[in-house]
Amino acid sequence: MKRILLKMSGESLMGKQKTGIDPEMLNAFAKEIADVNQQKTQVAIVVGGGNIFRGLKGAAQGFDRVKGDQMGMMATVINSLALQSALQSMNVKARVYTAIRMEPVGNLYDRDEAIEAMENNEVVIVSGGTGNPFFTTDTAAALRAVELNTDALLKATRVDGVYTADPEKDPKATRFDEITFAECLKNEYKILDLTAFTMCKENDMPIIVFNFHEQGSLNALISGKKVGTIVRN
């Protein structure tokens, strides 16, 4: 693949902690991304903010939903800056874009500028979600993947693909190597939130679900090996 959009959850950065960022996990993920960057694969990243603050959870606890989502957007910026710093410590050029104006923390997101940065072998980290409340970082990832014309949206998880049931709860669950968008909808397999999933389906953007916690998985996927589950039309 020439150009990818990697969607990471904020929770993945917690490691064994209950909140925040585990430096060991952060550096492990950055190393995987750095290895892919060295292969000249163009990389864009959207990382969630659930390890710091999740808007929906805040709303359930009494926060105004719009304010809660805005706090969640700020959490994604913190994670993005941490990832940028880790990549730069590995001599990888990385640039943070924000969906709302926040200079000098990051550049205001501009599609053409982001593509140019990737073509110059910079890792592009797009933070702040879509810049709007009521939209998840899944939807932001789908939107950026389509805008940036990536070859696929890579959904980084802790399981190695799409299963008939939750493999952590059901030992009889079986994994798919490949599945269609229609089959996922019919069987209610939750890959991304429905808005993000529909955007990928309508724009013919493949989704690859893989275990990012398995060392070398991203590199193997980029190299063309069968890793995880691919979802497409």
Side-chain angles (χ1 to χ4, degrees), residues 117-180:
M118 285 192 291
E119 289 176 342
N120 288 330
N121 206 37
E122 291 185 61
V123 173
V124 165
I125 309 169
V126 188
S127 65
T130 66
N132 301 287
F134 301 100
F135 290 94
T136 67
T137 50
D138 275 355
T139 299
L143 174 63
R144 302 312 180 203
V146 172
E147 282 184 324
L148 297 171
N149 194 30
T150 63
D151 296 319
L153 189 164
L154 309 188
K155 171 77 169 180
T157 70
R158 63 183 183 186
V159 293
D160 61 343
V162 179
Y163 282 76
T164 53
D166 186 344
E168 296 181 344
K169 297 178 180 178
D170 185 354
K172 295 182 179 180
T174 56
R175 186 177 68 86
F176 298 97
D177 289 329
E178 185 171 329
I179 191 170
T180 66

Side-chain angles (χ1 to χ4, degrees), residues 63-74:
F63 282 89
D64 173 78
R65 174 62 191 276
V66 173
K67 296 298 182 187
D69 281 355
Q70 288 172 338
M71 292 167 70
M73 291 176 208
M74 299 304 103

